[in-house]
Amino acid sequence: DQINPNGRDAAIGDYFRATGTFMPGGETPVKTFRCPSSQLPKVVPPEWRIPGAGVVPSPGLMIGYAVNDYKGNGGGCHAEDDGVIGKRAEITWVRFATITDGLSNMALLGESSYITGNNTTAPTVSEDWPIWIGAPNTDESIRYEGRTGAPINCQCTITTMVVAINDDCAFSWHPSGGQFAFCDGSVKFVSQNVSGKTWCDLHSKNDGNPIGEY
């Protein structure tokens, strides 16, 4: 009841762009949105130790929001925003009819449960916390990308998270891959060793390519 489904409030403007304005309801942890294996905190703390680095402050706009271990598919390698969730999620609509590659061949959402820093050697702040209600001034809190430059687990581990190559990856606390829900409602484990081509094709709604092994 606290959440405005339009993402807006007449008194404060656009929640997703407002600075210093807390989105009502966003502090509530939702068990369904958490992976039992995840070691991320329930809500974004004022400061946190990025695995592989020291304790650093969290971005002020994200502190206090409930954490999510899953993000939407932002697209693959073939076209900008050819997944199911755009950079402005509240105004982006993808209908089943536009997923011409087939619902069973298209990722809907996946595990992306990691934190980046503003520097891979000596970060001074954490960035892009996964937040279920939305993302103040950053799309990486709500979507990952299925492209070759953003592989599963981001070329790091749960103990070396600080060296993640970017903030666009899928990432899980399971060994060797992650869990993904597809547009047909199925849930599948995808290996981190999946080929770059297949990884891209799984995240594009209309590339027309056959899907390889994963």
Side-chain angles (χ1 to χ4, degrees), residues 44-202:
V44 179
E47 58 182 21
W48 195 66
R49 182 182 299 278
I50 303 176
V55 175
V56 296
S58 301
L61 287 179
M62 296 183 179
I63 294 172
Y65 283 112
V67 171
N68 176 28
D69 291 314
Y70 309 103
K71 298 179 186 176
N73 163 19
C77 312
H78 305 292
E80 181 71 16
D81 285 344
D82 62 343
V84 298
I85 185 169
K87 287 183 179 292
R88 291 293 306 280
E90 73 274 24
I91 59 173
T92 302
W93 296 87
V94 175
R95 300 184 182 278
F96 281 169
T98 67
I99 305 175
T100 56
D101 287 350
L103 301 184
S104 62
N105 296 324
M106 174 73 168
L108 174 66
L109 56 87
E111 293 185 274
S112 185
S113 180
Y114 74 118
I115 310 301
T116 57
N118 61 337
N119 188 304
T120 57
T121 56
T124 58
V125 65
S126 61
E127 295 181 323
D128 301 325
W129 283 82
I131 299 170
W132 71 259
I133 197 173
N137 294 339
T138 174
D139 64 291
E140 284 83 9
S141 287
I142 55 173
R143 71 178 210 154
Y144 73 96
E145 296 185 8
R147 53 185 173 82
T148 52
I152 299 179
N153 290 339
C154 227
Q155 296 182 9
C156 66
T157 69
I158 59 175
T159 60
T160 60
M161 200 178 289
V162 68
V163 300
I165 59 173
N166 58 50
D167 55 9
D168 293 324
C169 299
F171 183 95
S172 87
W173 292 71
H174 313 298
S176 305
Q179 299 284 355
F180 296 81
F182 284 71
C183 290
D184 65 349
S186 62
V187 176
K188 304 172 185 177
F189 185 85
V190 180
S191 168
Q192 68 182 36
N193 297 318
V194 63
S195 74
K197 179 182 182 304
T198 298
W199 181 237
C200 287
D201 292 344
L202 286 171

